[in-house]
Amino acid sequence: MLIAGPDTRVVELRVHGVQGTTPQTLVDAVAAVDVAGDGLGRIVRPADRLRRPAPGPVLQTEGRPIPRVVEGYLWGGMTSGGVAKATWALLFPFSIANVAHWMLPPVPERNLPAHLLGIGLRSLLRVFALLLTALLVAQISVVSLDLLAAQCLRPGTACLTSVPADVRTFPWFRTFLGLLPILVVIAVMRRISHVEWRIERKEIADAEEQERQPSSGLPGAHVATDPDTPALRSLHVVAALAMTALIALGGPLKQLTASGGMGVAITAAWTASLVLIGVAVLGVLLLDDPTGGAPHRGGRWLRAALSRKPRRVLLVISVLLVLTTLGLQEQLPLRVPGADVSVQVVALLMAFVLVLFGLLLIPAALLARGGWKSLPRELRPWAGGWFAAPVLAVGGLLGGGFGAGVALPVRKALGSQLQLPVGYHYITLLWGVAGVLAVLSTLAVASFTGAVRWRAFRKGKVWAREASLLHSGRMRDLRTATRAWWWARWERNHGHHMIMIVASVLVLGAVLASLLRLRNVPPASWTDPFSAFGVFVLGLLAVSLLRAVYLAARQPESGRRLGIIADIAQFWPREAHPIVPPCYALKVVPELVARAQDHLRDPGTRVVLCGHSQGSLLVAVAAARLLEELPEHDRERIGLLTAGSQLQWAYPRAFPAVVPHSSLARLAGGLDGRWRALCRGTDPLGGAVTTWRRQVFDGMLLGVGYRDDGSEGALAPALRGPTGALVLGGDHWLPDPQRGPFPGRRWRSGVSGHADYTSDPEWDRAVAIAAGLLRVDAPEAPPSPFARRPEMRSRDVL
């Protein structure tokens, strides 16, 4: 531990979690002012009455005050705010497919079968993502080309009577009107895929563009920009444009018929559409992860074939193909059969790819099992490393459901005499069956959970023995805390099970509907209630998302709340699907690293990176980058503080290849005891980070965790801090409700759960330990004085 000198100061750099926050809340002050940043990534400090940056409260360490500077990094503007970012929620199925890539199990080194399986899984993910884009285009075609242009605006119909008959019969009018919404959506998707967050300082951007060194084994080492993303983006746009032309020309199974030269032109355009779609599928199959194709093999030829100029040629050909299709369709037929056929063909291809993906994922997870089979069960990946399959299934079914959910209200608004494709009857049946099964599953889970909880509390079973140590002598707080501990533990332990149940229910409904459609069995009359319920579920899904976007335009605060969806999904770079919002981690992490390096230029400054919830993942990746880049004498002045973090129970288990357990152990060893984690048993979203297998024995809290030297093993019994917290290894277990109130400190009553960790007096002590100014095993300081005497006796019983 470095000895503090007279010029020692601590810089506390805080990063918030999901849903964003205000600058004042982040730095825990009544006023805050920007001191750096570009508006999207803002660095703020507390401000005085003249709006000038003010220093933070001094840090008391063993009786000596140490100057402290409190700064906060605000990144909420990258994921929410305004209608433009709120519309990103409509791309949620694309984002789920992209997140599923990062959930793949790790590939063991020097294992050829695992390497080949990894390539195959990544290729199938990209093909599934391409089919998801094609499904969106096909479903928009059902609404714009079939319902609106072909049926509603057909001459002689009573739909939209405000449109004159002369306009309806005008050549190419209905075709243009039907193709225009599809082209607008494709242009918007292409625009979204080009949005990138600019890193504030040029030297940081230059450093990010340099060739990366081999993986260091630290958290987030694989989170990088994929150089194949521009090629992947172009292939998706080409496939979308070619699918648009193919649908207008009759669909993938049969083209429109015509005589003479018109028939030859239609055949040529139809064939060109199929060829362009084939090129797109072949391209996404061959593109690999950020390491790219092997230069000494075929990789360089593939990259040359998908370089900027060939991509532009493909885009120009696709646009000309759509224009040619418009010219060949002077008048639309009574129905557009290509829309229905395309939806069904794409859906069947997605089901085939998903089944193949799930089958290949089984041996890949088994081969990767050697990396986690020695870990306790509560630290192993969810579903044995197979969790990417149900997540991908949910993304595909949500994509299909949203398109159908839009088509149903549009048909009702235009007129009930319009007819939807036959396949949509089976889609409503799918979601009706899935909705009924979801309701029954929810009732079953709620009943079972309630019965277990009631039986446990009736028999006096102690679910949270740690709480009895934290609230010793305060029986009223113990009773409140015990119930909150039970619910929080249940949510952490069974949250992924709920996702598995949702995926199973949706897949079961999809299998039933697909079998009926493949055999061309008309739904029986007893299935009508299920179809009606499916219409309700789909309409609710579409209306809820569209209403959220509308409210975001009228009420900015709603847009911020909607950002919780994007905050989780947008951490991951574009890998499987390029038409997703930009990854904010590629901007936040380099700027956090640069800010910490700026402060470390002062030899007396120590920097503590503090992250809450999702911010804990950002600061952990930033700390790992600092350990890679800084010299040895500067690493000792870096500390890490996480609060309400998911770095043990969620991220290593959902993303075992990106944030594995071994990377967290290596990070803990590199920080040499300067990684502190604040946790509450009442927090349903956060938990312990550096310890596990905890138990209470003879009035002591014991456990296993990371040691200061980077090894893992049994730890010394937990020590009680002056504010009542129990410190086991790097974890600081906070009493919730808080003890106190304490004079001179902000007070928060009741159960805090996942919120407001900075109000606990243990926060300052954890910052001092992370800064290397205080030892955990130092002689215990006198307890902080209470404003009121703690309750020592109570007649309340558990």
Side-chain angles (χ1 to χ4, degrees), residues 599-620:
H599 287 301
L600 290 174
R601 291 191 178 95
D602 180 3
T605 299
R606 305 185 185 190
V607 178
V608 179
L609 298 170
C610 307
H612 172 249
S613 190
Q614 181 79 357
S616 65
L617 179 60
L618 292 168
V619 295

Side-chain angles (χ1 to χ4, degrees), residues 233-562:
R233 175 195 307 130
S234 298
L235 291 175
H236 275 252
V237 175
V238 167
L241 292 172
M243 178 61 69
T244 303
L246 188 67
I247 291 172
L249 294 172
L253 301 181
K254 184 180 179 180
Q255 69 180 58
L256 297 177
T257 57
S259 58
M262 181 66 70
V264 175
I266 291 177
T267 302
W270 185 80
T271 305
S273 302
L274 289 177
V275 170
L276 287 176
I277 293 175
V279 169
V281 172
L282 182 63
V284 298
L285 270 174
L286 296 178
L287 286 175
D288 203 354
D289 60 357
T291 60
H296 59 281
R297 295 178 183 175
R300 58 181 178 180
W301 302 109
L302 175 63
R303 292 184 181 276
L306 295 176
S307 59
R308 179 174 297 182
K309 289 185 178 179
R311 294 200 304 265
R312 290 181 176 177
V313 171
L314 286 175
L315 287 174
V316 170
I317 293 175
S318 303
V319 173
L320 292 177
L321 178 62
V322 174
L323 295 178
T324 303
T325 303
L326 174 62
L328 294 174
Q329 292 279 341
E330 182 177 352
Q331 293 292 341
L332 284 176
L334 301 180
R335 294 290 304 275
V336 179
D340 184 21
V341 173
S342 299
V343 170
Q344 297 182 49
V345 169
V346 172
L348 290 175
L349 290 175
M350 289 175 62
F352 172 76
V353 172
L354 181 61
V355 171
L356 185 59
F357 176 81
L359 293 177
L360 289 181
L361 193 56
I362 295 175
L366 292 176
L367 290 174
R369 187 175 178 271
W372 62 68
K373 66 179 180 180
S374 60
L375 297 176
R377 185 175 300 274
E378 64 268 20
L379 299 182
R380 297 178 185 177
W382 289 334
W386 195 75
F387 200 65
V391 169
L392 192 64
V394 170
L397 291 169
L398 284 179
F402 176 72
V406 172
L408 291 169
V410 169
R411 187 193 64 167
K412 187 173 182 179
L414 293 177
S416 57
Q417 72 277 9
L418 303 181
Q419 297 181 2
L420 281 172
V422 178
Y424 274 60
H425 297 294
Y426 297 91
I427 294 179
T428 57
L429 178 61
L430 181 164
W431 281 89
V433 172
V436 171
L437 291 176
V439 171
L440 295 177
S441 301
T442 302
L443 293 176
V445 171
S447 301
F448 177 76
T449 303
V452 171
R453 180 179 180 274
W454 175 80
R455 184 178 180 184
F457 281 106
R458 186 183 180 189
K459 289 187 174 182
K461 184 177 180 181
V462 180
W463 286 86
R465 297 183 181 273
E466 301 96 327
S468 62
L469 296 180
L470 290 170
H471 300 282
S472 177
R474 303 169 65 93
M475 296 303 296
R476 184 174 300 169
D477 289 347
L478 177 59
R479 182 177 181 177
T480 303
T482 302
R483 297 182 181 275
W485 275 64
W486 194 94
W487 282 113
R489 181 175 297 180
W490 188 92
E491 292 184 35
R492 289 194 300 268
N493 292 342
H494 301 289
H496 64 287
H497 293 153
M498 298 304 297
I499 297 178
M500 295 284 290
I501 291 174
V502 170
S504 302
V505 165
L506 291 176
V507 168
L508 183 61
V511 169
L512 176 62
S514 300
L515 290 177
L516 293 177
R517 185 67 185 100
L518 287 175
R519 297 190 176 187
N520 203 21
V521 177
S525 58
W526 60 267
T527 63
D528 292 342
F530 292 96
S531 298
F533 188 66
V535 172
F536 170 76
V537 173
L538 290 172
L540 184 64
L541 173 66
V543 171
S544 298
L545 285 175
L546 294 175
R547 181 178 180 273
V549 175
Y550 172 77
L551 289 178
R554 301 292 300 272
Q555 303 173 8
E557 187 66 19
S558 297
R560 191 180 69 83
R561 289 195 299 269
L562 186 63

Side-chain angles (χ1 to χ4, degrees), residues 116-178:
L116 295 177
L117 285 172
I119 293 176
L121 289 171
R122 292 191 295 268
S123 298
L124 289 176
L125 264 173
R126 291 190 297 272
V127 172
F128 187 90
L130 185 70
L131 292 173
L132 203 56
T133 301
L135 181 64
L136 175 65
V137 171
Q139 289 178 325
I140 297 175
S141 301
V142 169
V143 177
S144 62
L145 267 177
D146 191 15
L147 284 181
L148 179 62
Q151 297 186 53
C152 181
L153 295 179
R154 186 174 68 245
T157 61
C159 179
L160 294 179
T161 55
S162 58
V163 181
D166 295 339
V167 176
R168 294 171 184 251
T169 57
F170 192 80
W172 296 290
F173 169 72
R174 291 193 297 144
T175 307
F176 173 78
L177 192 63

